[in-house]
Amino acid sequence: MNYRTQFLAAIAASGVVLLLQSPPCHAQPSPSPVLIAPQNSASYAFGSVAQGSIFVARGRNLGPAKLVEAGLYPLSLQLAGTSATVALGGAVLPCPMVYTSSAQIAAILPSNTPAGSGTFTVTYNGQTSSGVPIQVVKSAVGIFTASSSGIGQGIVTGADYVLKTPAKPAKTGEVLIAWVTGLGPVEGGDTAPKPGLQFPQTEVFVGDRSAKVIYAGRSGCCAGLDQIVFEAPEGPRSCFVPVSIRTAGGSSNFVTLPVSGGGEPCANSTPGISAGALSKSLGGDPVTIGFLGIGPIAVLQGAGFSFSQGIADQMSRILRMPVAEADVARLVRSYRAKNMASVQKIVGKYSSHVTTADARVIRNIIRSAISRDQKGAAALFIRSSGSAAIAPQFGSNFPAVGSCMVTTRVPNDETFRTRPLDAGTALTVDGPAGRKTLTRISNGQYQVLLGPGGTLTGTAPGIYTITGTGGKDVGAFTASINASTPLVWTNKAAVVEVDRTQPLSITWSGGSAASHVLIGGTASGGATGSALFTCVEETQKGAFTVPQFVLSALPSAREGTVFIAPHPLSNPIAIPGLDLAFLGDGSSDSRELPIR
């Protein structure tokens, strides 16, 4: 098997299309192309596109219905009737084409494209799209992933070009190759491979360690494709060890790499995910999962539990007419943002049914729902399916113990599918305030408001027990969690801002000594984008230092947030009919502060 064939075999699962022979395509008349802004073809990040990198652009009518790939080198500037052009600084540059289809194209941004803001267009069968903005930079690296989503397991091979997997992971000290694009421009054009050119100041981080970089430059197989050869350092060993790359142009997407000490199948160190369930998912088999949580409504909503339907049901009973969940969600957001004009507009849809007394009750319901002191309980039961579904979904938010992950969007692996599971007509929760019923608000989803109590950041102390009598898919169960010792961020007063050029130390007390802590933060930088970082550590250690390379991957933000919380997967429970189930303490301790 030759070099190029080995590489193509290794990345076949990634969805990256690189120069495979295709039959000729006869172009047919089509409507005008409709275009979305270009993205890095590896990270799928919007924003900056590096000179000399492979990028993708999505839309409609961009090319033929059936995907057509480039054949031989040199790459052509037109492929099956499709061409792409960048206009910037008075220059108009055609882009070498990699593949084309109606919904998506891939091309290489010419290395001689001037840096700055420009316009990108696609022409198919003589019809040209409207221009969309493109920001050209010298370097903006992205790591290819097995899910072809920019999230989850990275395309990292050994020196034999065989993809590292949980069954055959990387081992400490091994020489590895990360397959990326966006290191920077090359001389002499971009229509053919340009091996040998190296890009200095390229850093690779594995877990919490910096790796020794041996080579960082163009690959010998494919135009626009870069490879970074590095040595796996000592550090966390897990199926989900984070990997990221930093250049002068900033940080790449964070991906995961399976790592073991000697190359044996990786041992998962992500709390709560059993080896059996992991193996089942990675084998492509469906996995049944139950998520149960108790804590502040704001935290539970941030974790993905929506209380909008429950509020919509209450409003529907009061008004004696159906109230849409989408309207309730907008109403809650508007109340939280104090956008009363939007509140009045939404309420106006139901004004003929709203009496003064009704309006007062509805206002109190909404205010209660958005109160930081309002607690609730929620449960969700699903059956997931799709190739390697757990890896991108769990690994991207809950990395190996002792390490951190940065994400810029919600994981969205298109192979990941879910359907709700029936756990019965209702569940009950027993706690310090007595018993309440979690009503089924939709298939597989149950919730109840518990009212105010405890601290602003924590659940009312005590033991909580959720009981289900069982349903068509999920058996009867009883599960408890001890929330008697709240987790407290002890050096919170001293952390007044996040300096992205320095590491950040966090200390805490309380929590369950046998569990784990989630340390994280959010940065919303407006035009510079948004990002979330999450780190995992053992509760008993009482301290964690967020590495500087993690913080440098965040955008600056005038209003950011840093938090600590009990790890939501720290309390696995057994429920008949489910492969995985968790009952989490949804409390947290947080502070809003600038990210500079």
Side-chain angles (χ1 to χ4, degrees):
M1 185 180 290
N2 63 33
Y3 172 85
R4 179 172 172 272
T5 304
Q6 287 174 316
F7 169 70
L8 292 174
I11 69 167
S14 74
V16 181
V17 182
L18 294 169
L19 301 181
L20 302 180
Q21 292 287 351
S22 300
C25 174
H26 302 288
Q28 300 295 326
S30 62
S32 297
V34 177
L35 187 61
I36 300 174
Q39 303 165 271
N40 181 289
S41 65
S43 66
Y44 280 85
F46 287 106
S48 301
V49 179
Q51 298 163 336
S53 68
I54 307 170
F55 68 92
V56 297
R58 299 179 181 181
R60 300 193 309 272
N61 310 316
L62 304 180
K66 184 178 180 181
L67 184 142
V68 176
E69 306 152 11
L72 302 174
Y73 288 119
L75 294 178
S76 171
L77 300 180
Q78 186 180 84
L79 180 64
T82 301
S83 60
T85 303
V86 175
L88 192 154
V92 178
L93 297 99
C95 302
M97 295 295 302
V98 177
Y99 66 78
T100 178
S101 70
S102 178
Q104 180 171 306
I105 68 164
I108 297 177
L109 183 67
S111 289
N112 61 342
T113 307
S117 300
T119 302
F120 175 68
T121 57
V122 170
T123 299
Y124 177 54
N125 282 352
Q127 300 193 56
T128 302
S129 70
S130 298
V132 296
I134 184 171
Q135 185 68 32
V136 178
V137 295
K138 186 173 182 179
S139 177
V141 65
I143 308 173
F144 288 101
T145 60
S147 63
S148 194
S149 65
I151 295 172
Q153 183 179 328
I155 299 298
V156 179
T157 70
D160 58 0
Y161 308 110
V162 175
L163 181 68
K164 294 301 177 182
T165 66
K168 295 182 178 180
K171 59 184 178 181
T172 302
E174 183 179 3
V175 174
L176 303 171
I177 304 172
W179 298 91
V180 308
T181 191
L183 284 180
V186 295
E187 298 289 339
D190 302 277
T191 59
K194 300 283 184 180
L197 177 65
Q198 297 199 50
F199 295 86
Q201 299 179 329
T202 299
E203 300 173 279
V204 176
F205 300 96
V206 181
D208 60 343
R209 309 292 175 87
S210 176
K212 178 183 177 181
V213 176
I214 300 170
Y215 173 88
R218 284 291 192 272
S219 72
C221 98
C222 310
L225 182 69
D226 301 317
Q227 62 182 67
I228 300 176
V229 183
F230 65 97
E231 188 176 292
E234 287 283 353
R237 299 173 184 177
S238 165
C239 297
F240 302 121
V241 176
V243 174
S244 66
I245 296 166
R246 184 168 64 180
T247 68
S251 297
S252 71
N253 50 322
F254 279 56
V255 302
T256 60
L257 171 70
V259 179
S260 65
E264 68 279 1
C266 62
N268 181 40
S269 68
T270 297
I273 302 180
S274 67
L278 178 63
S279 176
K280 189 175 182 181
S281 175
L282 292 174
D285 295 325
V287 177
T288 52
I289 310 172
F291 298 100
L292 298 85
I294 299 169
I297 294 297
V299 176
L300 293 176
Q301 288 179 325
F305 291 108
S306 171
F307 281 76
S308 300
Q309 185 59 59
I311 298 171
D313 291 343
Q314 294 181 62
M315 291 177 60
S316 296
R317 288 192 293 269
I318 293 169
L319 300 178
R320 297 166 296 281
M321 67 174 296
V323 175
E325 180 186 4
D327 285 339
V328 170
R330 287 193 292 269
L331 195 59
V332 169
R333 288 195 299 269
S334 299
Y335 259 105
R336 186 172 283 121
K338 299 180 180 180
N339 184 351
M340 300 315 294
S342 180
V343 169
Q344 292 296 334
K345 182 178 179 180
I346 298 167
V347 172
K349 291 179 61 175
Y350 306 95
S351 59
S352 61
H353 295 262
V354 180
T355 66
T356 302
D358 290 341
R360 187 180 302 114
V361 173
I362 291 172
R363 184 168 57 249
N364 289 339
I365 291 172
I366 299 296
R367 285 176 175 172
S368 177
I370 67 175
S371 168
R372 286 175 57 86
D373 197 33
Q374 178 65 239
K375 306 301 187 293
L380 176 66
F381 302 94
I382 59 171
R383 176 184 183 271
S384 71
S385 61
S387 174
I390 286 181
Q393 302 297 324
F394 283 70
S396 295
N397 285 311
F398 306 120
V401 176
S403 63
C404 303
M405 177 69 70
V406 177
T407 55
T408 56
R409 63 190 186 279
V410 176
N412 184 28
D413 180 358
E414 293 182 356
T415 68
F416 187 69
R417 299 284 187 271
T418 65
R419 73 169 178 83
L421 297 177
D422 177 18
T425 56
L427 311 177
T428 60
V429 56
D430 292 280
R435 170 170 290 187
K436 291 203 174 185
T437 299
L438 284 80
T439 304
R440 181 168 60 187
I441 62 166
S442 63
N443 290 338
Q445 190 169 175
Y446 305 76
Q447 62 183 226
V448 65
L449 296 176
L450 300 177
T455 66
L456 288 178
T457 57
T459 306
I463 297 175
Y464 290 81
T465 300
I466 295 182
T467 303
T469 57
K472 183 176 64 175
D473 304 308
V474 179
F477 70 92
T478 298
S480 299
I481 188 168
N482 189 338
S484 299
T485 309
L487 190 66
V488 178
W489 179 3
T490 53
N491 70 331
K492 180 167 67 172
V495 182
V496 296
E497 70 174 18
V498 173
D499 182 350
R500 294 180 298 152
T501 67
Q502 301 293 327
L504 173 66
S505 295
I506 301 291
T507 61
W508 61 84
S509 64
S512 171
S515 63
H516 295 80
V517 174
L518 197 67
I519 306 105
T522 59
S524 180
T528 60
S530 301
L532 163 72
F533 79 87
T534 52
C535 312
V536 176
E537 188 52 279
E538 297 175 8
T539 304
Q540 63 182 358
K541 291 192 174 180
F544 184 82
T545 298
V546 183
Q548 186 273 329
F549 75 85
V550 172
L551 300 175
S552 71
L554 305 176
S556 60
R558 292 168 56 186
E559 296 182 357
T561 301
V562 172
F563 66 86
I564 65 168
H567 196 295
L569 309 185
S570 276
N571 187 42
I573 57 178
I575 298 180
L578 299 182
D579 297 305
L580 291 171
F582 311 94
L583 173 52
D585 176 359
S587 62
S588 67
D589 200 352
S590 63
R591 178 170 188 170
E592 294 182 355
L593 37 67
I595 313 279
R596 303 194 189 282

